[in-house]
Amino acid sequence: MAAAKPKKVSAPKPKKPQLPSDPVELLRVRVLDALDDLKAQNVQEIDVRGKTSIADLMIVASGTSTRHVKSLADEVVKFAKQAGMQPLGIEGQREAEWVLVDLGDIIIHVMLPRVREFYGLERLWTVGDDMARTAAVG
């Protein structure tokens, strides 16, 4: 009797993470990936819907040096272009202490820690959030 051939069993292919279909959410994911790839520090997302008409989301991140800040901003721009979004504006690249990348619905601020602390964008854009939560609870 002939020996039966062993069946070839292939391992299941790892599933690729499904990218969001919403263009703003896709852009958000791409921006966060870009910042993560180059080791941005203290990345914060601030939902500014209802507070301003200039954007829906602000992302604030820190770099360790002016070179790091510039590299982070350049990477954000590269990833945004790959996602089909041309930046509306980029400010501060020369000094690279605070680089702003305007992607329309999302604005990215990449800053040196001392500049970030001085301007306190997180505090500025979240003022009143605690009072609104307290009023909703109470």
Side-chain angles (χ1 to χ4, degrees):
M1 236 159 111
K5 275 188 170 179
K7 289 185 181 178
K8 217 178 205 182
V9 178
S10 59
K13 292 181 182 177
K15 292 183 181 179
K16 290 181 182 176
Q18 189 170 350
L19 291 174
S21 59
D22 174 41
V24 175
E25 183 61 19
L26 174 62
L27 188 57
R28 178 187 152 281
V29 169
R30 297 295 304 217
V31 166
L32 293 174
D33 286 347
L35 292 171
D36 185 55
D37 278 2
L38 288 183
K39 310 286 189 254
Q41 297 180 342
N42 196 15
V43 178
Q44 300 287 319
E45 296 180 59
I46 305 167
D47 187 339
V48 293
R49 288 175 284 207
K51 295 178 183 179
T52 182
S53 60
I54 62 169
D56 291 341
L57 182 67
M58 286 193 188
I59 298 175
V60 184
S62 294
T64 57
S65 65
T66 55
R67 180 173 288 181
H68 190 213
V69 167
K70 184 170 179 0
S71 294
L72 288 166
D74 290 346
E75 192 75 354
V76 165
V77 169
K78 182 179 98 180
F79 271 58
K81 286 180 178 178
Q82 287 174 348
M85 178 63 195
Q86 192 69 24
L88 301 176
I90 305 167
E91 299 291 332
Q93 283 185 305
R94 185 176 311 178
E95 299 81 16
E97 291 185 351
W98 177 358
V99 180
L100 180 145
V101 180
D102 185 351
L103 298 176
D105 292 321
I106 301 174
I107 296 176
I108 299 89
H109 300 271
V110 185
M111 312 163 99
L112 290 174
R114 66 178 168 76
V115 174
R116 185 173 178 172
E117 178 63 30
F118 180 80
Y119 287 100
L121 291 182
E122 293 94 336
R123 290 187 307 274
L124 175 70
W125 285 104
T126 57
V127 160
D129 285 356
D130 290 336
M131 289 192 313
R133 274 190 228 119
T134 304
V137 173

